[in-house]
Amino acid sequence: MTAAPSPSSSSSTPRRLTVMAGPTAVGKGTISANIRARYPEIWLSVSATTRDPRPGEVEGVNYFFVGPTKFHEMVEDGELLEWAVVHGQNSYGTPRAAVEAQLNAGIPALLEIDLQGARQVKESMPDAQFIFLAPPSWEELVRRLVGRGTETKEEQERRLETARVELAAQSEFDHVVINDDIERATDEIISLMGLTPHAN
Ligand code: 5GP
């Protein structure tokens, strides 16, 4: 006999859209890269941004690097599912058409965006799953940010200011995943997406 699926068994069904947010330096980028490498069945959204590429970043893979004029046009033309000015500096946004194409094809999609963007997606796509990636502690977050050494002191201060606001909003999310260990946190996110964790 086959039991009809109950609402509580929905964790075995892949969630189609997952939004992951979390403060600076918490490891979102590493986890996204991990997921990209280990789970090719998941589609990762590539955002548009006005910030300059960092060494090693590739156009169309890490971001679509666009100027402010092009970004403004994308906003005006309704091409972005959500967008925000992050850390009071550069604009970032999720191209809408690509997300819709994946979802229409039944492919699970993951967005790695900031709190402001996550709130916008919650308005327009309330059925999405919202995950907050949190550090084990505030001290560890500061250590990771300072340790990676990619930001100036001033930029670090700005990012930590944003991080305080973001950490205070974690209860708005469906799940909080603590990034105490990259592999473990990746597997937890994969499970939350309704997919089966597998080895590298
Ligand atoms: P970074 O400049 O370090 O790559 O990213 C800075 C912040 O921008 C991160 O918190 C990241 O999650 C966020 N971000 C990246 N893409 C998007 C996007 O498309 N929309 C929004 N709202 N935030 C984004």
Side-chain angles (χ1 to χ4, degrees):
M1 197 176 87
T2 323
S6 67
S8 61
S9 71
S10 62
S11 62
S12 60
T13 311
R15 295 293 291 254
R16 293 173 69 209
L17 179 62
T18 301
V19 177
M20 177 172 73
T24 186
V26 73
K28 285 174 295 178
T30 313
I31 288 194
S32 297
N34 231 1
I35 291 175
R36 184 182 285 132
R38 285 173 53 195
Y39 300 89
E41 64 270 37
I42 297 171
W43 179 79
L44 282 178
S45 168
V46 179
S47 301
T49 181
T50 59
R51 89 151 159 70
D52 291 333
R54 295 187 187 126
E57 285 186 330
V58 178
E59 165 73 15
V61 175
N62 302 95
Y63 283 105
F64 296 109
F65 297 99
V66 299
T69 308
K70 171 73 183 158
F71 194 93
H72 184 71
E73 269 172 32
M74 293 173 90
V75 172
E76 290 292 299
D77 295 345
E79 287 177 29
L80 300 178
L81 176 63
E82 61 73 35
W83 71 277
V85 176
V86 182
H87 305 306
Q89 275 200 315
N90 288 297
S91 301
Y92 297 78
T94 304
R96 182 194 302 275
V99 176
E100 287 177 352
Q102 301 303 317
L103 296 180
N104 287 339
I107 296 170
L110 178 65
L111 310 187
E112 189 254 275
I113 60 180
D114 89 321
L115 172 66
Q116 308 169 77
R119 284 174 171 160
Q120 292 171 44
V121 178
K122 199 162 187 177
E123 286 289 310
S124 58
M125 295 184 165
D127 289 342
Q129 165 163 250
F130 296 84
I131 298 176
F132 189 86
L133 190 64
S137 67
W138 176 259
E139 291 69 31
E140 176 60 17
L141 185 71
V142 174
R143 201 186 63 75
R144 288 181 192 175
L145 176 64
V146 174
R148 76 180 182 187
T150 45
E151 285 82 18
T152 62
K153 191 106 191 92
E154 193 191 5
E155 178 66 17
Q156 286 173 5
E157 292 297 330
R158 200 167 22 229
R159 283 177 176 246
L160 288 173
E161 224 165 90
T162 312
R164 270 202 189 85
V165 175
E166 292 182 320
L167 284 166
Q170 53 186 287
S171 62
E172 294 174 27
F173 288 73
D174 300 318
H175 301 280
V176 176
V177 172
I178 311 277
N179 187 15
D180 47 2
D181 175 90
I182 287 284
E183 298 300 326
R184 197 208 59 75
T186 302
D187 284 349
E188 191 177 343
I189 290 169
I190 292 299
S191 294
L192 288 171
M193 292 180 79
L195 299 155
T196 312
H198 54 68
N200 296 341

